[in-house]
Amino acid sequence: MVNETKTHEITVDVVILTIKNNALQVLLVKRVNEPFKDKWAIPGGYVRLSENLDEAALRVLKEKTAVDNIYLEQLYTFGDPLRHPDGRVITCAYFALVRSEDIKIVSTTELGWHKVMDLPPLAFDHKEIIQYSLKRTRERLEICPVAYQLLPEKFTLTEMQKSYELIMQKKLDKRNFRKKALSTNGLVELEEYTKSSSKRPARLYTFEKIELNSKRAHFIKKGDKK
Amino acid sequence: MVNETKTHEITVDVVILTIKNNALQVLLVKRVNEPFKDKWAIPGGYVRLSENLDEAALRVLKEKTAVDNIYLEQLYTFGDPLRHPDGRVITCAYFALVRSEDIKIVSTTELGWHKVMDLPPLAFDHKEIIQYSLKRTRERLEICPVAYQLLPEKFTLTEMQKSYELIMQKKLDKRNFRKKALSTNGLVELEEYTKSSSKRPARLYTFEKIELNSKRAHFIKKGDKK
DNA sequence: GTGTGTTTTTGTTTCGTTTACCATTATTAA
DNA sequence: TTAATAATGGTAAACGAAACAAAAACACAC
């Protein structure tokens, strides 16, 4: 039985999500080799013997982008025997939430952001993996305000609400949203305002740096508005 | 980099939970070989090239027990480089909820149920894996009544409440519990009663066979009683 | 400086659900 | 009759969700 495992290979793939141009976007690499040449794929790589899975995922993330202070969570392990045409490759998928302002793309390969609602042809089972990461992101958002990982350092409540609406795929009531947002632990009201266009300036907020998962705010509930 | 992966090995480990003797119990095997000889371990095995991860987990489950109609869910993948003393073994952990009445232990190796609140010395990182499976089970229970997977075919509401209390680790109010239980989709009131000891017989209930995850009942909420 | 347009900001009420709490009656075996 | 446990109803308080409208602040055009 042990022999039968000899050609397993283990990769990590990292679904990197951000909000950019008023849309939820995912970072994809264009494949230069077969299989799936010229298709787009989630950034990934083989797990090295010396590193654990989290470290492997972080390494993949940093190979493509220069970020830190990101939200990174193991998503699911995909191991269908036929998912890779050239052999048995099991992949442990992660997802990351990053601020687009924080990101510098450092890879030399062709790399780009794609709207999750409008994905190009994808390699392997990567479409399924992205769909699953969206589902998980929504689940997380219902529990704690992970969306602040997607927002700039300073943001308005309207921007925050936009990010929630993009992730949850539904409109939220403005006043109800603000009430809940203001009661969130860690949200800090600043004495600064946006100044720009021909409209009333909006107050800026920021999030204290705190442990994620340390509190459960049950931020969005189902059925808040369609 | 590919070379560096050659000695990875992939296993699945299955945390098999049941309720037995008024306690939440987990099925463990006693190891007969090094490493961790004579310690207890979660049932597991290598993933074969021809099977996906779910199939591997199901196979492991069936090697140890004769059950079907079980709840089986991928839990988490553990890949610390030092978790196995003899080499790099990454394990994809699953957890299963089974009815103790349904189980026939078919393995020849030493195998037994252990209360999760009173575990023997465990091999590898298996203690951590079991703890994580309990956490996940609680999360599932908050969403849908998976506990019926642990109950006998026919059960009383008191038994159902006991199973919830064992998993959630807290006392629940009897009348509130019954109110919610009775409003759960799929719960069927039978025209049968327990008959046994010197007390009033209790009505029996059963669950219709339905898809899990198909409904979200939000069965237990936080703070129901400490 | 006045008016217009745009966006931000703010509070209340209603409604249903959940929680906490409490006590009595019913049924059986012994 | 007693002992043991099951079954049951109601209510008050707290909480969360949903729906809803008007005033304030600024830029700009005139």
Side-chain angles (χ1 to χ4, degrees):
Chain A
M1 193 195 317
V2 178
N3 255 342
E4 220 196 349
T5 70
K6 274 301 183 219
T7 63
H8 281 297
E9 288 177 4
I10 308 290
T11 58
V12 288
D13 288 324
V14 186
V15 179
I16 304 169
L17 296 173
T18 198
I19 288 178
K20 202 177 158 75
N21 300 334
N22 211 29
L24 195 58
Q25 308 218 21
V26 58
L27 192 64
L28 299 175
V29 279
K30 194 167 203 171
R31 290 184 60 84
V32 292
N33 299 318
E34 293 294 348
F36 296 108
K37 185 166 187 294
D38 294 329
K39 300 269 197 237
W40 293 86
I42 305 166
Y46 289 96
V47 176
R48 296 181 183 164
L49 280 181
S50 58
E51 64 190 359
N52 66 32
L53 299 170
D54 288 0
E55 290 163 350
L58 203 57
R59 175 176 54 76
V60 165
L61 185 64
K62 297 215 167 174
E63 281 168 5
K64 305 298 178 188
T65 67
V67 289
D68 55 4
N69 186 34
I70 43 82
Y71 183 86
L72 183 66
E73 175 182 327
Q74 186 181 309
L75 182 63
Y76 198 81
T77 300
F78 295 83
D80 192 89
L82 302 178
R83 63 177 293 279
H84 195 300
D86 296 349
R88 183 67 190 272
V89 181
I90 291 171
T91 194
C92 184
Y94 277 74
F95 76 104
L97 305 180
V98 302
R99 298 189 177 105
S100 63
E101 61 169 6
D102 279 359
I103 283 204
K104 292 186 201 70
I105 288 179
V106 297
S107 173
T108 54
T109 57
E110 196 175 348
L111 198 64
W113 292 105
H114 295 262
K115 298 183 180 175
V116 296
M117 301 309 288
D118 184 23
L119 292 171
L122 293 172
F124 309 107
D125 51 1
H126 286 187
K127 183 164 187 178
E128 184 190 353
I129 295 176
I130 291 173
Q131 295 306 329
Y132 194 65
S133 74
L134 297 178
K135 178 167 173 282
R136 180 75 65 88
T137 304
R138 280 181 210 118
E139 289 169 5
R140 287 290 168 267
L141 200 57
E142 286 177 356
I143 290 175
C144 65
V146 285
Y148 83 82
Q149 292 286 350
L150 297 165
L151 293 168
E153 183 75 25
K154 299 173 183 178
F155 52 88
T156 68
L157 290 190
T158 301
E159 287 168 343
M160 184 175 170
Q161 182 175 346
K162 282 264 172 56
S163 73
Y164 273 71
E165 290 176 342
L166 284 171
I167 295 170
M168 303 304 286
Q169 300 277 16
K170 62 180 175 188
K171 289 291 285 177
L172 301 173
D173 180 86
K174 187 169 216 163
R175 274 164 291 188
N176 291 334
F177 181 86
R178 298 174 82 87
K179 240 182 302 178
K180 273 193 263 184
L182 292 173
S183 71
T184 304
N185 280 333
L187 186 80
V188 181
E189 188 176 287
L190 300 174
E191 289 303 320
E192 297 179 57
Y193 298 84
T194 56
K195 41 180 172 278
S196 53
S197 53
S198 55
K199 58 195 173 189
R200 176 172 176 174
R203 183 183 282 274
L204 291 171
Y205 293 81
T206 193
F207 258 101
E208 289 175 340
K209 300 275 178 285
I210 33 167
E211 275 15 82
L212 286 170
N213 300 326
S214 68
K215 63 214 152 69
R216 321 194 112 221
H218 267 280
F219 204 75
I220 297 288
K221 278 288 176 51
K222 57 248 153 214
D224 198 343
K225 204 174 200 180
K226 196 191 68 189
Chain B
M1 192 195 316
V2 177
N3 256 341
E4 218 195 351
T5 71
K6 274 298 184 224
T7 63
H8 282 297
E9 287 177 3
I10 307 291
T11 58
V12 288
D13 288 325
V14 186
V15 179
I16 303 169
L17 297 172
T18 197
I19 288 178
K20 203 179 158 75
N21 301 335
N22 210 28
L24 195 58
Q25 308 219 19
V26 58
L27 192 66
L28 299 175
V29 280
K30 194 168 204 171
R31 290 183 60 85
V32 293
N33 299 317
E34 294 292 349
F36 296 107
K37 187 166 185 295
D38 294 329
K39 301 269 196 234
W40 293 87
I42 305 167
Y46 289 97
V47 176
R48 296 181 183 164
L49 279 183
S50 58
E51 65 191 359
N52 67 33
L53 298 170
D54 289 0
E55 288 162 351
L58 203 58
R59 175 175 54 75
V60 165
L61 185 64
K62 298 215 165 174
E63 281 168 4
K64 305 298 177 189
T65 68
V67 288
D68 53 6
N69 186 33
I70 42 82
Y71 183 88
L72 183 67
E73 177 183 326
Q74 185 181 310
L75 183 63
Y76 198 82
T77 300
F78 295 83
D80 192 90
L82 302 177
R83 63 177 293 280
H84 196 302
D86 295 350
R88 184 67 191 273
V89 181
I90 292 172
T91 193
C92 184
Y94 277 74
F95 77 104
L97 306 179
V98 302
R99 300 188 175 105
S100 62
E101 61 170 5
D102 279 359
I103 283 203
K104 294 187 200 66
I105 289 179
V106 297
S107 173
T108 54
T109 56
E110 195 173 350
L111 198 63
W113 293 106
H114 295 261
K115 298 184 182 177
V116 296
M117 301 310 288
D118 183 24
L119 291 171
L122 294 173
F124 309 106
D125 51 2
H126 286 188
K127 182 163 189 181
E128 183 190 354
I129 295 176
I130 291 173
Q131 296 305 331
Y132 195 64
S133 74
L134 298 178
K135 177 167 175 282
R136 182 74 66 87
T137 305
R138 278 180 213 119
E139 289 170 4
R140 287 290 169 268
L141 200 57
E142 286 178 356
I143 290 175
C144 66
V146 285
Y148 84 83
Q149 291 286 350
L150 297 164
L151 293 167
E153 182 75 23
K154 299 172 183 177
F155 53 88
T156 68
L157 289 190
T158 300
E159 288 169 343
M160 184 174 169
Q161 183 175 345
K162 283 262 172 55
S163 73
Y164 273 72
E165 290 175 344
L166 284 170
I167 295 171
M168 302 305 287
Q169 300 276 14
K170 61 179 177 188
K171 290 290 286 178
L172 302 173
D173 180 84
K174 186 172 215 164
R175 274 163 287 193
N176 289 338
F177 182 87
R178 298 174 84 86
K179 247 180 296 182
K180 272 194 265 184
L182 292 174
S183 71
T184 304
N185 280 334
L187 187 78
V188 182
E189 188 176 289
L190 300 175
E191 289 303 319
E192 295 179 59
Y193 298 84
T194 56
K195 40 177 175 279
S196 55
S197 52
S198 55
K199 58 194 174 188
R200 174 172 178 175
R203 183 184 283 273
L204 292 171
Y205 293 81
T206 192
F207 259 103
E208 290 176 339
K209 301 276 178 286
I210 34 168
E211 276 14 83
L212 287 170
N213 301 326
S214 68
K215 61 215 155 66
R216 318 195 116 220
H218 268 279
F219 205 74
I220 299 287
K221 278 287 176 57
K222 58 246 152 212
D224 197 341
K225 202 174 202 180
K226 195 186 69 185

mmCIF file of all heavy atoms in Angstrom, chain A residues 21-51:
data_model
loop_
_atom_site.group_PDB
_atom_site.id
_atom_site.type_symbol
_atom_site.label_atom_id
_atom_site.label_comp_id
_atom_site.label_asym_id
_atom_site.label_seq_id
_atom_site.Cartn_x
_atom_site.Cartn_y
_atom_site.Cartn_z
ATOM 1 N N ASN A 21 -11.407 48.384 -7.820
ATOM 2 C CA ASN A 21 -12.344 48.893 -8.826
ATOM 3 C C ASN A 21 -13.769 48.454 -8.543
ATOM 4 O O ASN A 21 -14.481 47.990 -9.430
ATOM 5 C CB ASN A 21 -11.949 48.443 -10.230
ATOM 6 C CG ASN A 21 -10.572 48.935 -10.606
ATOM 7 O OD1 ASN A 21 -10.116 49.948 -10.084
ATOM 8 N ND2 ASN A 21 -9.908 48.209 -11.479
ATOM 9 N N ASN A 22 -14.114 48.528 -7.275
ATOM 10 C CA ASN A 22 -15.499 48.235 -6.914
ATOM 11 C C ASN A 22 -15.934 46.811 -7.251
ATOM 12 O O ASN A 22 -17.088 46.551 -7.558
ATOM 13 C CB ASN A 22 -16.424 49.243 -7.594
ATOM 14 C CG ASN A 22 -17.663 49.505 -6.769
ATOM 15 O OD1 ASN A 22 -17.614 49.400 -5.537
ATOM 16 N ND2 ASN A 22 -18.752 49.782 -7.426
ATOM 17 N N ALA A 23 -14.976 45.889 -7.207
ATOM 18 C CA ALA A 23 -15.315 44.486 -7.476
ATOM 19 C C ALA A 23 -14.397 43.586 -6.667
ATOM 20 O O ALA A 23 -13.267 43.956 -6.345
ATOM 21 C CB ALA A 23 -15.174 44.170 -8.962
ATOM 22 N N LEU A 24 -14.902 42.429 -6.352
ATOM 23 C CA LEU A 24 -14.092 41.423 -5.690
ATOM 24 C C LEU A 24 -13.240 40.745 -6.753
ATOM 25 O O LEU A 24 -13.759 40.255 -7.751
ATOM 26 C CB LEU A 24 -15.010 40.418 -4.997
ATOM 27 C CG LEU A 24 -14.410 39.479 -3.968
ATOM 28 C CD1 LEU A 24 -13.747 40.245 -2.840
ATOM 29 C CD2 LEU A 24 -15.491 38.571 -3.417
ATOM 30 N N GLN A 25 -11.917 40.719 -6.525
ATOM 31 C CA GLN A 25 -11.031 40.210 -7.564
ATOM 32 C C GLN A 25 -10.080 39.166 -6.999
ATOM 33 O O GLN A 25 -9.762 39.169 -5.818
ATOM 34 C CB GLN A 25 -10.222 41.358 -8.183
ATOM 35 C CG GLN A 25 -11.096 42.516 -8.644
ATOM 36 C CD GLN A 25 -10.634 43.167 -9.936
ATOM 37 O OE1 GLN A 25 -9.907 42.581 -10.726
ATOM 38 N NE2 GLN A 25 -11.073 44.397 -10.141
ATOM 39 N N VAL A 26 -9.630 38.306 -7.894
ATOM 40 C CA VAL A 26 -8.737 37.227 -7.495
ATOM 41 C C VAL A 26 -7.478 37.290 -8.353
ATOM 42 O O VAL A 26 -7.530 37.614 -9.537
ATOM 43 C CB VAL A 26 -9.453 35.859 -7.630
ATOM 44 C CG1 VAL A 26 -9.935 35.612 -9.040
ATOM 45 C CG2 VAL A 26 -8.574 34.709 -7.172
ATOM 46 N N LEU A 27 -6.362 36.993 -7.733
ATOM 47 C CA LEU A 27 -5.085 37.065 -8.440
ATOM 48 C C LEU A 27 -4.806 35.731 -9.139
ATOM 49 O O LEU A 27 -4.819 34.677 -8.504
ATOM 50 C CB LEU A 27 -3.961 37.370 -7.449
ATOM 51 C CG LEU A 27 -2.603 37.767 -8.046
ATOM 52 C CD1 LEU A 27 -2.704 39.074 -8.806
ATOM 53 C CD2 LEU A 27 -1.552 37.864 -6.950
ATOM 54 N N LEU A 28 -4.550 35.795 -10.441
ATOM 55 C CA LEU A 28 -4.338 34.577 -11.218
ATOM 56 C C LEU A 28 -3.040 34.681 -12.025
ATOM 57 O O LEU A 28 -2.621 35.765 -12.407
ATOM 58 C CB LEU A 28 -5.512 34.347 -12.180
ATOM 59 C CG LEU A 28 -6.890 34.170 -11.541
ATOM 60 C CD1 LEU A 28 -7.967 34.081 -12.607
ATOM 61 C CD2 LEU A 28 -6.917 32.917 -10.660
ATOM 62 N N VAL A 29 -2.426 33.543 -12.257
ATOM 63 C CA VAL A 29 -1.248 33.492 -13.130
ATOM 64 C C VAL A 29 -1.616 32.790 -14.427
ATOM 65 O O VAL A 29 -2.397 31.838 -14.436
ATOM 66 C CB VAL A 29 -0.085 32.688 -12.506
ATOM 67 C CG1 VAL A 29 0.693 33.520 -11.529
ATOM 68 C CG2 VAL A 29 -0.556 31.404 -11.874
ATOM 69 N N LYS A 30 -1.019 33.259 -15.486
ATOM 70 C CA LYS A 30 -1.240 32.602 -16.774
ATOM 71 C C LYS A 30 -0.203 31.491 -16.903
ATOM 72 O O LYS A 30 0.991 31.710 -16.714
ATOM 73 C CB LYS A 30 -1.069 33.598 -17.908
ATOM 74 C CG LYS A 30 -1.608 33.096 -19.220
ATOM 75 C CD LYS A 30 -1.699 34.237 -20.212
ATOM 76 C CE LYS A 30 -2.726 33.926 -21.287
ATOM 77 N NZ LYS A 30 -2.978 35.094 -22.133
ATOM 78 N N ARG A 31 -0.666 30.318 -17.235
ATOM 79 C CA ARG A 31 0.248 29.179 -17.324
ATOM 80 C C ARG A 31 1.046 29.247 -18.625
ATOM 81 O O ARG A 31 0.488 29.476 -19.692
ATOM 82 C CB ARG A 31 -0.523 27.863 -17.248
ATOM 83 C CG ARG A 31 -1.100 27.596 -15.869
ATOM 84 C CD ARG A 31 -1.772 26.258 -15.801
ATOM 85 N NE ARG A 31 -0.862 25.165 -16.100
ATOM 86 C CZ ARG A 31 -0.052 24.605 -15.221
ATOM 87 N NH1 ARG A 31 -0.030 25.021 -13.970
ATOM 88 N NH2 ARG A 31 0.735 23.609 -15.578
ATOM 89 N N VAL A 32 2.341 29.021 -18.496
ATOM 90 C CA VAL A 32 3.187 29.071 -19.692
ATOM 91 C C VAL A 32 3.488 27.676 -20.214
ATOM 92 O O VAL A 32 3.960 27.522 -21.334
ATOM 93 C CB VAL A 32 4.509 29.812 -19.404
ATOM 94 C CG1 VAL A 32 4.231 31.289 -19.153
ATOM 95 C CG2 VAL A 32 5.231 29.204 -18.205
ATOM 96 N N ASN A 33 3.224 26.661 -19.406
ATOM 97 C CA ASN A 33 3.507 25.288 -19.841
ATOM 98 C C ASN A 33 2.240 24.450 -19.857
ATOM 99 O O ASN A 33 1.239 24.790 -19.242
ATOM 100 C CB ASN A 33 4.508 24.633 -18.885
ATOM 101 C CG ASN A 33 5.831 25.386 -18.871
ATOM 102 O OD1 ASN A 33 6.327 25.802 -19.902
ATOM 103 N ND2 ASN A 33 6.365 25.592 -17.673
ATOM 104 N N GLU A 34 2.347 23.343 -20.555
ATOM 105 C CA GLU A 34 1.294 22.334 -20.464
ATOM 106 C C GLU A 34 1.381 21.660 -19.111
ATOM 107 O O GLU A 34 2.460 21.631 -18.524
ATOM 108 C CB GLU A 34 1.478 21.301 -21.582
ATOM 109 C CG GLU A 34 1.253 21.835 -22.981
ATOM 110 C CD GLU A 34 -0.194 22.246 -23.251
ATOM 111 O OE1 GLU A 34 -1.077 21.916 -22.427
ATOM 112 O OE2 GLU A 34 -0.429 22.924 -24.256
ATOM 113 N N PRO A 35 0.343 21.119 -18.563
ATOM 114 C CA PRO A 35 -1.007 21.148 -19.124
ATOM 115 C C PRO A 35 -1.683 22.494 -18.885
ATOM 116 O O PRO A 35 -1.211 23.274 -18.076
ATOM 117 C CB PRO A 35 -1.726 20.060 -18.338
ATOM 118 C CG PRO A 35 -1.049 20.062 -17.021
ATOM 119 C CD PRO A 35 0.382 20.381 -17.275
ATOM 120 N N PHE A 36 -2.740 22.725 -19.617
ATOM 121 C CA PHE A 36 -3.522 23.961 -19.488
ATOM 122 C C PHE A 36 -2.699 25.194 -19.849
ATOM 123 O O PHE A 36 -2.871 26.243 -19.246
ATOM 124 C CB PHE A 36 -4.096 24.090 -18.071
ATOM 125 C CG PHE A 36 -5.092 23.025 -17.702
ATOM 126 C CD1 PHE A 36 -4.760 22.020 -16.796
ATOM 127 C CD2 PHE A 36 -6.366 23.026 -18.263
ATOM 128 C CE1 PHE A 36 -5.683 21.045 -16.456
ATOM 129 C CE2 PHE A 36 -7.290 22.059 -17.911
ATOM 130 C CZ PHE A 36 -6.945 21.055 -17.007
ATOM 131 N N LYS A 37 -1.806 25.041 -20.807
ATOM 132 C CA LYS A 37 -1.043 26.190 -21.273
ATOM 133 C C LYS A 37 -1.987 27.314 -21.687
ATOM 134 O O LYS A 37 -3.011 27.080 -22.322
ATOM 135 C CB LYS A 37 -0.174 25.756 -22.462
ATOM 136 C CG LYS A 37 0.786 26.806 -22.999
ATOM 137 C CD LYS A 37 1.800 26.139 -23.924
ATOM 138 C CE LYS A 37 2.882 27.094 -24.365
ATOM 139 N NZ LYS A 37 2.372 28.169 -25.222
ATOM 140 N N ASP A 38 -1.634 28.522 -21.287
ATOM 141 C CA ASP A 38 -2.402 29.739 -21.596
ATOM 142 C C ASP A 38 -3.715 29.876 -20.829
ATOM 143 O O ASP A 38 -4.425 30.873 -20.979
ATOM 144 C CB ASP A 38 -2.687 29.869 -23.100
ATOM 145 C CG ASP A 38 -1.408 30.069 -23.887
ATOM 146 O OD1 ASP A 38 -0.467 30.673 -23.341
ATOM 147 O OD2 ASP A 38 -1.343 29.592 -25.033
ATOM 148 N N LYS A 39 -4.041 28.882 -20.033
ATOM 149 C CA LYS A 39 -5.180 29.093 -19.136
ATOM 150 C C LYS A 39 -4.674 29.814 -17.880
ATOM 151 O O LYS A 39 -3.472 29.865 -17.604
ATOM 152 C CB LYS A 39 -5.789 27.749 -18.718
ATOM 153 C CG LYS A 39 -6.306 26.916 -19.857
ATOM 154 C CD LYS A 39 -7.747 27.204 -20.138
ATOM 155 C CE LYS A 39 -8.348 26.101 -20.982
ATOM 156 N NZ LYS A 39 -8.937 26.603 -22.233
ATOM 157 N N TRP A 40 -5.613 30.330 -17.135
ATOM 158 C CA TRP A 40 -5.261 31.011 -15.885
ATOM 159 C C TRP A 40 -5.370 30.041 -14.718
ATOM 160 O O TRP A 40 -6.190 29.121 -14.732
ATOM 161 C CB TRP A 40 -6.153 32.212 -15.676
ATOM 162 C CG TRP A 40 -5.918 33.291 -16.683
ATOM 163 C CD1 TRP A 40 -6.505 33.381 -17.913
ATOM 164 C CD2 TRP A 40 -5.025 34.392 -16.565
ATOM 165 N NE1 TRP A 40 -6.027 34.499 -18.572
ATOM 166 C CE2 TRP A 40 -5.128 35.134 -17.767
ATOM 167 C CE3 TRP A 40 -4.152 34.844 -15.571
ATOM 168 C CZ2 TRP A 40 -4.391 36.298 -17.999
ATOM 169 C CZ3 TRP A 40 -3.427 35.996 -15.793
ATOM 170 C CH2 TRP A 40 -3.542 36.713 -16.995
ATOM 171 N N ALA A 41 -4.545 30.272 -13.719
ATOM 172 C CA ALA A 41 -4.539 29.368 -12.563
ATOM 173 C C ALA A 41 -4.305 30.145 -11.275
ATOM 174 O O ALA A 41 -3.750 31.249 -11.286
ATOM 175 C CB ALA A 41 -3.442 28.317 -12.733
ATOM 176 N N ILE A 42 -4.744 29.550 -10.186
ATOM 177 C CA ILE A 42 -4.451 30.097 -8.860
ATOM 178 C C ILE A 42 -2.958 29.924 -8.592
ATOM 179 O O ILE A 42 -2.401 28.877 -8.893
ATOM 180 C CB ILE A 42 -5.244 29.312 -7.802
ATOM 181 C CG1 ILE A 42 -6.735 29.312 -8.133
ATOM 182 C CG2 ILE A 42 -5.000 29.882 -6.425
ATOM 183 C CD1 ILE A 42 -7.503 28.289 -7.326
ATOM 184 N N PRO A 43 -2.292 30.899 -8.022
ATOM 185 C CA PRO A 43 -0.890 30.720 -7.661
ATOM 186 C C PRO A 43 -0.716 29.535 -6.720
ATOM 187 O O PRO A 43 -1.511 29.344 -5.797
ATOM 188 C CB PRO A 43 -0.545 32.031 -6.936
ATOM 189 C CG PRO A 43 -1.543 33.014 -7.391
ATOM 190 C CD PRO A 43 -2.791 32.234 -7.689
ATOM 191 N N GLY A 44 0.313 28.764 -6.971
ATOM 192 C CA GLY A 44 0.544 27.596 -6.131
ATOM 193 C C GLY A 44 1.963 27.109 -6.251
ATOM 194 O O GLY A 44 2.768 27.673 -7.002
ATOM 195 N N GLY A 45 2.266 26.061 -5.498
ATOM 196 C CA GLY A 45 3.606 25.500 -5.584
ATOM 197 C C GLY A 45 3.711 24.251 -4.742
ATOM 198 O O GLY A 45 2.829 23.969 -3.930
ATOM 199 N N TYR A 46 4.763 23.548 -4.955
ATOM 200 C CA TYR A 46 4.959 22.323 -4.196
ATOM 201 C C TYR A 46 5.291 22.641 -2.749
ATOM 202 O O TYR A 46 5.941 23.646 -2.447
ATOM 203 C CB TYR A 46 6.078 21.481 -4.811
ATOM 204 C CG TYR A 46 5.660 20.879 -6.121
ATOM 205 C CD1 TYR A 46 5.965 21.481 -7.334
ATOM 206 C CD2 TYR A 46 4.915 19.705 -6.134
ATOM 207 C CE1 TYR A 46 5.549 20.939 -8.532
ATOM 208 C CE2 TYR A 46 4.488 19.148 -7.337
ATOM 209 C CZ TYR A 46 4.810 19.770 -8.530
ATOM 210 O OH TYR A 46 4.378 19.226 -9.705
ATOM 211 N N VAL A 47 4.858 21.765 -1.882
ATOM 212 C CA VAL A 47 5.181 21.900 -0.465
ATOM 213 C C VAL A 47 6.576 21.344 -0.234
ATOM 214 O O VAL A 47 6.868 20.216 -0.623
ATOM 215 C CB VAL A 47 4.163 21.129 0.402
ATOM 216 C CG1 VAL A 47 4.554 21.198 1.874
ATOM 217 C CG2 VAL A 47 2.762 21.687 0.197
ATOM 218 N N ARG A 48 7.424 22.131 0.367
ATOM 219 C CA ARG A 48 8.779 21.659 0.634
ATOM 220 C C ARG A 48 8.811 20.819 1.893
ATOM 221 O O ARG A 48 7.984 20.972 2.784
ATOM 222 C CB ARG A 48 9.717 22.857 0.783
ATOM 223 C CG ARG A 48 9.801 23.631 -0.515
ATOM 224 C CD ARG A 48 10.748 24.803 -0.402
ATOM 225 N NE ARG A 48 10.737 25.552 -1.647
ATOM 226 C CZ ARG A 48 11.207 26.789 -1.781
ATOM 227 N NH1 ARG A 48 11.719 27.410 -0.729
ATOM 228 N NH2 ARG A 48 11.171 27.391 -2.943
ATOM 229 N N LEU A 49 9.813 19.981 1.960
ATOM 230 C CA LEU A 49 9.878 19.056 3.085
ATOM 231 C C LEU A 49 10.079 19.767 4.411
ATOM 232 O O LEU A 49 9.662 19.289 5.461
ATOM 233 C CB LEU A 49 11.027 18.062 2.877
ATOM 234 C CG LEU A 49 10.710 16.909 1.941
ATOM 235 C CD1 LEU A 49 11.905 15.983 1.843
ATOM 236 C CD2 LEU A 49 9.496 16.131 2.448
ATOM 237 N N SER A 50 10.684 20.920 4.356
ATOM 238 C CA SER A 50 11.051 21.570 5.609
ATOM 239 C C SER A 50 9.973 22.493 6.153
ATOM 240 O O SER A 50 10.111 23.037 7.236
ATOM 241 C CB SER A 50 12.321 22.383 5.386
ATOM 242 O OG SER A 50 12.078 23.319 4.339
ATOM 243 N N GLU A 51 8.920 22.700 5.409
ATOM 244 C CA GLU A 51 7.948 23.707 5.824
ATOM 245 C C GLU A 51 6.581 23.060 6.067
ATOM 246 O O GLU A 51 6.247 22.045 5.469
ATOM 247 C CB GLU A 51 7.814 24.795 4.750
ATOM 248 C CG GLU A 51 7.260 24.282 3.432
ATOM 249 C CD GLU A 51 7.347 25.286 2.286
ATOM 250 O OE1 GLU A 51 7.830 26.404 2.498
ATOM 251 O OE2 GLU A 51 6.924 24.921 1.173
#
